[in-house]
Amino acid sequence: MSAVQNNLTLDIGIDVGGTFTDVVLLGSDGRIEVTKGLSTTHDQSVGAADAAGGLSLPLAGVRSIVHGTTVATNAILERRGARLALLTTAGFRDVLELQRQERRNIWDLYIRKVEPLVPRHLRFEVRERVAANGAIVDPLDDAGLEAVIAALRAAGVEAVAVSFLNAYANPAHEIAAAHRLREALGVYVVRSSAIAPHFREYERTSTTAISGYVGPKVSGYLDRFGARFGERGFDGGISVMGSNGGVLPLEIAGAHAATTCLSGPAGGVLATQRLSREKGMPDLISFDMGGTSTDVCLVSGGEAVVSTQFQIDGLPITLPMFAIETVSAGGGSIAVLDAGGMLRVGPESAGSTPGPACYGRGGTQPTVTDALCVLGLLRSEFFLGGRMKLVPEAAETAFAPIATALGEPVERVAAMVLHLANVKMANAVRLVSVRDGHDPRDFALVAFGGAGPLHACAVAEEIGVRRVVVPRFPGAFSAFGLLSANLKRDFVRSWPIRLSALDEARLRDELTAFRAGVEAEMAAIAKGRPVEWSFRADLRYVGQASELIVPIEHLTAPTIHGLAERFHAVHRAKFGYDERDADVEMMNLRLSGSVAVATPPLPDFPARSGAPVPLGRLPSRLEGAPLLAFAQRDELMAGDAIAGPAVIAEPTATTFVPRGWSMTVDPQGHLDLSRDAN
């Protein structure tokens, strides 16, 4: 069966989370279908294929699949990546061990540095030297390299990361060493001059090590993913979501594995950007709460904040990524009493196996989901559209030991668990907004994920936000966002120079040469489609230790003055001041190539013309709310309004409208929740 029938095209977004795998099918005629299935931790492709099998249409009729995965992130967090070796310049074997002097927790007197991904016995040196200006000081020691190859062969490594001193200025030695390693060992090899060609030795080496560590795992997984869907009749194209908000074809993504470290959460941010355009709301905060964690990202002026200063489990990675803050608060987060008898929520999670106690799959520890079940906010008859029956008695039993220890009723302990989780998530919202000079009260919260709409209003109250938007199919919103992604590849080139030493012609020549050097690679991704290019620069005041990313105007007319003015404005917005008399220096040039992907609009949402939607009543154990108004979301129409306390159920999520909040359905079918003036 052809992927295009009668001019109808079908595309699928598949987002794998810690508990559920979400699948969204979108047609060029506006049709949409959503399904969900449990994630399979041993091999995510199994659960993905099973969940996609729940669609009403055969995979043979689908044009493309866009996939968001957590394989790379999980490999790092669980330390289950490749057996990785590191090859460095003689004298720099311990860069990953020395790290930086920053203390992530200044009050921790017993802080320990994060364990490197490469143990010391697998870190090797070779004699070579390149100066900071790119001049070769010492040639690559071929005999020394052969000795290292022999040691690597004996060690049985699966991957090698090559990071030589100043390779960003001249990659010749890295290129030669990487070629010889691949030729002799046949293993996965990455080099810093291809992955992170910029200064700062530790961050560059760390990024390269991360890429080598997750590379074999990700590429092997993607091969299985493609094969598994091929066995089910799919013959279209597969793309993989990157952390930068763009996708890469399956066959290319494996070579850029580190770019998938925030693959799953990035889909939700893209969907939030699309919502921002549709509703004309430029300032939003995406709030994605799933089974294992909550991901938060700021969208300002319709664009998500991008950062190159990110850490995964304490390990720096300098690739461009959405500035997503993740906290260990999800539906599966486990509630325990710590050694001091204090109630704590997370970071441990029940995941999908065995899952929360109320799932009835063998879980015995109380979780956030169990607390929702105890209080009556999650109902067995509506969970996953009635396909999965909850066991409230199991949730009660799980909370009983804590309730006994605290001398409180079970419903009171459940409420305390929800409050602790909400405070933790509110702190993440504060961090992504205040960190960049924004007041969170000026933003609206976009709540999605399976658990996000249940907690959003409480989190909003914690930070003073008065408006929450719950999009259509919120439990699969990230999967929907995957279908909004363009093909995209980011490039970086080190170019340390003061703006006072630049003129427009020299800048224009450098930008032209930069683009010419990567056009062939981008053409292989674009496959004949037009490419849009955008330039940015990493700028700082002379003497500063960190840079800010500033866009450069169109290639034909860049101006040094305009670039400096934009830097001053960005600096003032982030830090509250600028120094216009200080000299500004550029450290890196950045270039992004993207290929636009047409995204069909959502179908029109019907408006109600007759009597208002009939509301049911549900009992609850919430303090002061023994009865909740109840509605099924598929019965709502544009213009419908409900005052809290109320519960709105749908197959992918449940929305809770607390007392003091009201909800209306907007013309696109999204739920607008607003806090009452009093």
Side-chain angles (χ1 to χ4, degrees):
M1 185 183 294
S2 171
V4 181
Q5 302 175 351
N6 300 323
N7 296 320
L8 170 66
T9 59
L10 302 172
D11 302 288
I12 291 178
I14 301 178
D15 175 43
V16 179
T19 305
F20 289 102
T21 294
D22 305 321
V23 180
V24 173
L25 180 145
L26 192 60
S28 57
D29 60 350
R31 75 174 65 186
I32 188 163
E33 187 176 343
V34 178
T35 186
K36 239 174 160 46
L38 287 171
S39 298
T40 47
T41 54
H42 68 283
D43 185 348
Q44 292 183 2
S45 67
V46 175
D50 288 346
L55 295 169
S56 62
L57 297 174
L59 291 173
V62 174
R63 176 181 63 172
S64 70
I65 292 175
V66 185
H67 181 34
T69 174
T70 57
V71 168
T73 307
N74 292 345
I76 297 169
L77 297 178
E78 299 169 4
R79 294 302 175 104
R80 293 184 180 179
R83 181 172 170 81
L84 175 68
L86 175 68
L87 179 61
T88 65
T89 303
F92 289 83
R93 176 185 182 187
D94 294 320
V95 164
L96 292 180
E97 197 87 46
L98 295 172
Q99 301 175 18
R100 292 287 182 190
Q101 67 177 358
E102 295 103 340
R103 295 176 57 155
R104 286 177 291 163
N105 185 350
I106 195 171
W107 307 111
D108 188 352
L109 300 179
Y110 305 99
I111 195 167
R112 295 289 182 271
K113 291 184 177 180
V114 63
E115 188 74 21
L117 295 177
V118 189
R120 196 169 195 273
H121 70 277
L122 290 179
R123 302 199 294 261
F124 297 88
E125 299 178 339
V126 66
R127 186 171 180 80
E128 69 84 37
R129 193 75 170 209
V130 172
N133 62 1
I136 295 178
V137 178
D138 289 325
L140 179 63
D141 182 0
D142 292 331
L145 180 59
E146 292 302 318
V148 169
I149 289 173
L152 291 172
R153 187 179 289 114
V157 299
E158 301 170 279
V160 182
V162 183
S163 184
F164 290 160
L165 184 67
N166 296 324
Y168 60 87
N170 184 346
H173 288 172
E174 276 197 357
I175 292 172
H179 175 75
R180 182 70 189 105
L181 288 166
R182 290 192 189 95
E183 183 180 65
L185 300 174
V187 298
Y188 193 95
V189 178
V190 293
R191 54 184 175 87
S192 73
S193 49
I195 299 297
H198 56 73
F199 79 112
R200 290 199 177 94
E201 202 66 20
Y202 170 52
E203 288 77 7
R204 181 165 59 91
T205 304
S206 173
T207 303
T208 309
I210 288 173
S211 185
Y213 188 71
V214 303
K217 189 102 172 178
V218 171
S219 58
Y221 165 74
L222 294 179
D223 289 343
R224 294 194 304 276
F225 184 92
R228 201 172 299 280
F229 277 84
E231 292 168 357
R232 298 196 175 210
F234 175 75
D235 61 357
I238 299 178
S239 299
V240 182
M241 188 72 207
S243 309
N244 62 349
V247 296
L248 288 174
L250 182 75
E251 61 274 14
I252 295 176
H256 301 279
T259 64
T260 68
C261 283
L262 288 180
S263 173
V269 177
L270 276 179
T272 302
Q273 287 187 158
R274 175 172 175 164
L275 185 82
S276 171
R277 294 190 296 270
E278 290 177 348
K279 289 182 67 67
M281 299 174 63
D283 298 325
L284 300 172
I285 298 174
S286 69
F287 176 75
D288 178 7
M289 184 180 179
T292 306
S293 61
T294 297
D295 303 304
V296 181
C297 186
L298 190 88
V299 174
S300 178
E303 296 294 330
V305 176
V306 175
S307 174
T308 57
Q309 300 175 15
F310 195 79
Q311 289 191 350
I312 300 177
D313 197 28
L315 302 168
I317 180 168
T318 59
L319 302 176
M321 296 182 172
F322 283 145
I324 297 171
E325 188 69 28
T326 300
V327 293
S328 55
S333 294
I334 296 171
V336 298
L337 293 178
D338 64 18
M342 299 292 289
L343 186 62
R344 175 170 58 82
V345 179
E348 299 82 7
S349 174
S352 60
T353 305
C358 64
Y359 283 8
R361 295 165 56 88
T364 58
Q365 295 178 291
T367 67
V368 172
T369 295
D370 292 311
L372 294 165
C373 191
V374 165
L375 294 172
L377 295 177
L378 282 182
R379 314 291 298 193
S380 182
E381 59 268 36
F382 308 120
F383 193 73
L384 273 186
R387 291 189 292 116
M388 184 175 177
K389 297 300 182 183
L390 300 180
V391 186
E393 299 80 11
E396 296 258 358
T397 301
F399 272 111
I402 295 179
T404 300
L406 295 178
E408 297 279 1
V410 167
E411 61 269 24
R412 171 63 179 155
V413 175
M416 292 163 63
V417 167
L418 293 188
H419 179 68
L420 289 175
N422 292 336
V423 169
K424 183 183 289 189
M425 293 182 288
N427 287 337
V429 175
R430 290 189 185 97
L431 186 60
V432 299
S433 52
V434 176
R435 177 176 57 194
D436 288 315
H438 298 284
D439 187 337
R441 295 171 296 183
D442 297 333
F443 290 72
L445 214 57
V446 179
F448 54 97
L454 278 163
H455 293 257
C457 291
V459 171
E461 288 185 0
E462 286 282 338
I463 54 179
V465 169
R466 305 192 66 87
R467 187 174 180 185
V468 171
V469 179
V470 179
R472 292 168 67 176
F473 41 87
F477 197 54
S478 290
F480 172 71
L482 298 174
L483 298 174
S484 303
N486 295 329
L487 289 166
K488 187 176 182 181
R489 177 85 167 89
D490 290 313
F491 307 89
V492 61
R493 172 182 288 189
S494 178
W495 194 32
I497 187 170
R498 297 191 180 193
L499 296 191
S500 59
L502 263 179
D503 57 40
E504 276 70 25
R506 186 177 179 188
L507 175 60
R508 189 163 51 249
D509 290 346
E510 189 70 21
L511 298 179
T512 302
F514 189 5
R515 173 173 158 176
V518 300
E519 279 185 327
E521 182 177 348
M522 196 62 210
I525 297 173
K527 296 180 180 178
R529 288 168 289 187
V531 178
E532 289 188 10
W533 300 94
S534 60
F535 288 95
R536 293 171 296 165
D538 293 353
L539 301 177
R540 66 185 186 185
Y541 291 120
V542 173
Q544 283 186 318
S546 61
E547 301 81 43
L548 296 175
I549 300 176
V550 178
I552 299 177
E553 65 264 47
H554 194 271
L555 178 63
T556 58
T559 67
I560 306 303
H561 175 73
L563 186 58
E565 285 298 311
R566 277 189 294 279
F567 169 72
H568 294 313
V570 172
H571 195 281
R572 184 170 59 255
K574 185 174 179 66
F575 298 111
Y577 75 98
D578 57 34
E579 295 185 9
R580 293 182 173 272
D581 294 332
D583 207 350
V584 178
E585 60 183 347
M586 181 188 303
M587 304 310 297
N588 302 303
L589 280 176
R590 298 187 181 274
L591 172 60
S592 295
S594 64
V595 178
V597 175
T599 305
L602 288 175
D604 293 336
F605 201 73
R608 186 171 299 281
S609 57
V613 60
L615 298 179
R617 290 283 182 252
L618 290 177
S620 86
R621 297 166 74 179
L622 289 169
E623 185 176 354
L627 284 178
L628 304 175
F630 170 76
Q632 295 269 25
R633 187 160 182 178
D634 60 7
E635 297 176 352
L636 298 177
M637 296 184 180
D640 282 343
I642 300 174
V647 166
I648 300 158
E650 57 186 300
T652 67
T654 300
T655 299
F656 176 49
V657 186
R659 186 182 301 280
W661 288 73
S662 56
M663 182 280 300
T664 58
V665 183
D666 78 2
Q668 292 85 33
H670 308 303
L671 306 184
D672 270 331
L673 282 66
S674 57
R675 193 175 180 183
D676 297 345
N678 296 324

